[in-house]
Amino acid sequence: MQYNSTRDNSICVDAAQAIKTGLSAEGGLFVPKSMPKVTLEEIDSLKDKTYNERAYFVLSKFLTDFTEEELWNCINNAYTKAKFETNAIAPVYELDNTNYILELWHGPTCAFKDMALQILPYLLTTSMKKTDESNEVVILVATSGDTGKAALEGFRDVNGTRIIVFYPDNGVSEIQKRQMVTQEGNNVSVAAVKGNFDDAQNGVKKIFTDNEYKELLNRNGFSLSSANSINWGRLVPQIVYYFSAYADLIKGGKITCGDRINVVVPTGNFGNILASYYAMKMGLPIAKFICASNENNVLTDFIKTGTYDKNRDFHTTISPSMDILISSNLERFLYDLTGNNDAQVKEWMNELNTTGKYSVTPDVFNKLSDLFYGGFSDDNETMAAIKSVADEYDYVMDTHTAVAKSVYDKYVEETGDTTKTVIASTASPFKFNQSVLIALKDFDYVVGKDEFTMLDELSQIGNTPIPKSLAELRDRPVNFEIVCDKDEMRQIVSDFLAVD
Ligand SMILES: *Cc1c(COP(=O)(O)O)cnc(C)c1O
């Protein structure tokens, strides 16, 4: 399987090269040259397989330059009962005979980014070896919260890698901060940057574009890389769980192989929902894609009108992982919808860069509207969804999942569609305990309560144990107390790697 760039079809690399490079040199994203096809018989046979076997089935179709042994090694290091607290890895919970919740948050950081970031380090180090790269990879991350911790957990103690995460001193929640400063592992470092997320991100960008510094690192045996969500190695593992959910529905007798289902995905960067679209292109019977946004509803408008326009106010919401105005993975979708028209995609991305907006052609808009429904939910509607699902089903959702459920309910009301539907659940309710408690009780209820009290209370109300990784935070020693100015970040990297 070869990969092209969305902005230049003449670029053609294998999977290892695509994963090692991350972003194509001219700014495009790597996409498979053609979609591998699977048959209904193959899909049916997945019902009796483990998650790891299902992962092998899907990944082996895309990473054809990896040996069988290399691929199994990546998969078996990533998806273990020890890390996910369940053999199912991504279990499906039945709310009723139409609504099925695909729980993607059983990993070590309690959010769905673990599904990709647990395997990425192994895909990356294998890709380095395969491309004869002898340098050690140094992952630099600027984080506003979730990605930093998920990357730290993914890369910790992975041979041939080091990771440094910078977070804004006063820009992450108390629990997110604790998750990071108590990080364990012999190849990790964490530093707070005085300033906001933009300061941390700009500091990281500056290091990435400092050629002289990169040369110095290179002489010392280090190559910089990012764990960015546009890397093909982060997208491809996400295709797996849509097949897995479908196989579980067959296995449970809920559907017959070949029946079409709908999927609902709470969306930010468009990675997760794109993975479900790729699954459909491979042959998974999906009828409708319901793209759920919060008040940052740039995708809702795009799906309704065909115009993407990021020139709008940015809203801080109770589903912060979806507070995004540029959905980078949309580029891969447009490339597919235009029939791999690299020049067209490049033009739209240039327009987005210069004017902040672009409009797709009527042909692309028609294809899009046939398959996708876009909707959004404001914070009040999201809270109401948490409360009503808890009351009706005794099931507690996090705020991101609740955005999906709320938008799905609107879709059903508008269309009367009764197709069985998989709702992607992207975080554990414990991770956003304060907002969830306010939804279940009221605002006064949380006043003056610290994070750990709220975890305990949510555990009692929802009658579920606190995930191990969050419960343990209480007693974990703090390992990182570095606080730096934004112009000291390069020095922090040098100190950690002992170069200069
Ligand atoms: C990252 C994230 C999302 C958005 O996923 P995309 O792939 O960026 O669309 C949704 N929910 C949670 C909890 C996340 O961490």
Side-chain angles (χ1 to χ4, degrees):
M1 169 75 62
Q2 297 286 303
Y3 293 79
N4 291 135
S5 162
T6 48
R7 298 189 199 179
D8 184 351
N9 282 337
S10 72
I11 290 174
C12 188
V13 299
D14 61 19
Q17 195 68 40
I19 292 169
K20 182 176 110 175
T21 322
L23 189 68
S24 184
E26 83 302 342
L29 311 188
F30 290 113
V31 280
K33 213 178 169 77
S34 63
M35 229 5 104
K37 300 286 182 210
V38 303
T39 64
L40 285 177
E41 288 71 40
E42 284 177 298
I43 293 173
D44 193 53
S45 74
L46 294 177
K47 67 179 184 292
D48 300 314
K49 294 196 157 89
T50 63
Y51 189 85
N52 292 21
E53 288 167 336
R54 292 168 182 175
Y56 183 84
F57 171 76
V58 173
L59 295 183
S60 62
K61 305 219 177 273
F62 287 101
L63 310 182
T64 48
D65 48 330
F66 283 49
T67 67
E68 202 173 314
E69 189 192 346
E70 285 168 341
L71 208 45
W72 274 117
N73 181 52
C74 293
I75 292 167
N76 287 337
N77 272 304
Y79 303 119
T80 64
K81 167 107 194 268
K83 289 175 175 167
F84 283 80
E85 295 191 55
T86 158
N87 280 322
I89 306 296
V92 174
Y93 182 89
E94 179 175 7
L95 273 192
D96 59 28
N97 61 15
T98 326
N99 288 261
Y100 297 88
I101 308 275
L102 170 57
E103 296 180 345
L104 301 172
W105 42 259
H106 289 272
T109 75
C110 303
F112 103 104
K113 297 209 167 41
D114 290 331
M115 297 303 301
L117 279 167
Q118 281 297 314
I119 193 167
L120 178 72
Y122 299 100
L123 296 176
L124 187 60
T125 49
T126 308
S127 299
M128 298 286 281
K129 267 192 218 120
K130 296 181 77 64
T131 52
D132 291 324
E133 177 79 52
S134 55
N135 275 354
E136 199 169 341
V137 205
V138 179
I139 304 291
L140 287 191
V141 184
T143 187
S144 54
D146 282 350
T147 305
K149 178 60 182 178
L152 284 165
E153 275 301 319
F155 280 92
R156 74 185 265 189
D157 296 328
V158 174
N159 282 336
T161 73
R162 312 257 193 122
I163 175 164
I164 312 177
V165 170
F166 293 99
Y167 68 91
D169 199 13
N170 37 31
V172 300
S173 79
E174 201 43 44
I175 215 151
Q176 286 174 325
K177 181 173 172 174
R178 270 197 85 83
Q179 278 188 310
M180 290 190 276
V181 296
T182 60
Q183 180 65 40
E184 292 174 345
N186 58 28
N187 61 340
V188 305
S189 185
V190 175
V193 180
K194 288 183 204 152
N196 57 27
F197 173 62
D198 280 342
D199 294 321
Q201 183 151 52
N202 288 334
V204 163
K205 274 194 192 146
K206 231 163 125 185
I207 300 174
F208 269 117
T209 49
D210 184 340
N211 286 329
E212 214 171 294
Y213 187 58
K214 283 199 290 197
E215 202 26 61
L216 170 75
L217 292 181
N218 192 33
R219 282 198 303 276
N220 286 274
F222 297 111
S223 297
L224 292 181
S225 186
S226 84
N228 207 300
S229 83
I230 43 107
N231 192 309
W232 177 247
R234 271 191 67 177
L235 194 59
V236 70
Q238 301 188 359
I239 301 172
V240 175
Y241 46 73
Y242 290 103
F243 280 93
S244 179
Y246 192 86
D248 280 349
L249 291 182
I250 302 174
K251 188 175 177 147
K254 311 298 175 194
I255 56 171
T256 308
C257 187
D259 290 352
R260 294 208 296 173
I261 60 166
N262 292 339
V263 298
V264 190
V265 185
T267 300
N269 230 334
F270 208 77
N272 200 359
I273 196 164
L274 180 70
S276 70
Y277 175 74
Y278 281 165
M280 185 276 285
K281 297 280 292 189
M282 292 172 74
L284 193 69
I286 299 177
K288 273 276 176 201
F289 300 86
I290 295 151
C291 176
S293 303
N294 61 26
E295 260 188 287
N296 296 294
N297 56 358
V298 59
L299 284 168
T300 311
D301 291 346
F302 174 64
I303 293 167
K304 291 214 158 95
T305 65
T307 295
Y308 193 97
D309 186 354
K310 77 165 179 85
N311 303 307
R312 57 181 71 210
D313 290 340
F314 176 84
H315 297 278
T316 301
T317 74
I318 57 170
S319 46
S321 305
M322 294 155 62
D323 291 347
I324 285 173
L325 290 179
I326 297 192
S327 303
S328 338
N329 267 302
L330 193 61
E331 179 168 347
R332 287 187 162 112
F333 184 49
L334 295 172
Y335 181 79
D336 188 77
L337 289 181
T338 56
N340 301 357
N341 188 337
D342 55 348
Q344 178 69 83
V345 170
K346 189 171 168 179
E347 190 185 313
W348 287 335
M349 292 304 121
N350 282 341
E351 279 179 51
L352 180 63
N353 223 349
T354 49
T355 68
K357 66 189 266 192
Y358 60 88
S359 297
V360 298
T361 56
D363 172 52
V364 166
F365 179 61
N366 287 339
K367 284 190 201 160
L368 171 72
S369 330
D370 273 352
L371 288 169
F372 277 66
Y373 171 92
F376 78 100
S377 162
D378 66 25
D379 281 356
N380 288 330
E381 294 170 317
T382 303
M383 293 267 192
I386 293 175
K387 174 82 173 133
S388 74
V389 167
D391 288 348
E392 190 173 346
Y393 303 103
D394 215 7
Y395 182 83
V396 181
M397 300 181 297
D398 96 290
T399 48
H400 303 76
T401 311
V403 167
K405 174 68 173 140
S406 167
V407 169
Y408 175 60
D409 290 345
K410 290 181 193 179
Y411 166 80
V412 172
E413 199 164 305
E414 275 173 40
T415 61
D417 189 353
T418 54
T419 306
K420 287 189 193 299
T421 296
V422 168
I423 299 173
S425 174
T426 51
S428 156
F430 287 100
K431 188 138 195 188
F432 298 93
N433 51 17
Q434 185 175 37
S435 300
V436 172
L437 274 178
I438 294 172
L440 295 175
K441 300 284 188 182
D442 58 32
F443 188 77
D444 288 342
Y445 188 81
V446 301
V447 172
K449 290 182 177 160
D450 71 15
E451 293 285 353
F452 296 108
T453 310
M454 289 192 285
L455 285 178
D456 286 335
E457 297 205 347
L458 194 54
S459 174
Q460 268 158 25
I461 294 170
N463 199 20
T464 34
I466 304 171
K468 210 171 61 192
S469 57
L470 293 181
E472 281 171 3
L473 278 184
R474 218 182 295 233
D475 308 313
R476 279 268 176 88
V478 170
N479 296 327
F480 298 97
E481 291 178 295
I482 307 168
V483 182
C484 68
D485 280 322
K486 57 180 191 272
D487 46 17
E488 289 172 334
M489 289 167 65
R490 203 179 98 171
Q491 192 56 45
I492 300 287
V493 176
S494 296
D495 291 349
F496 176 55
L497 301 175
V499 298
D500 253 353

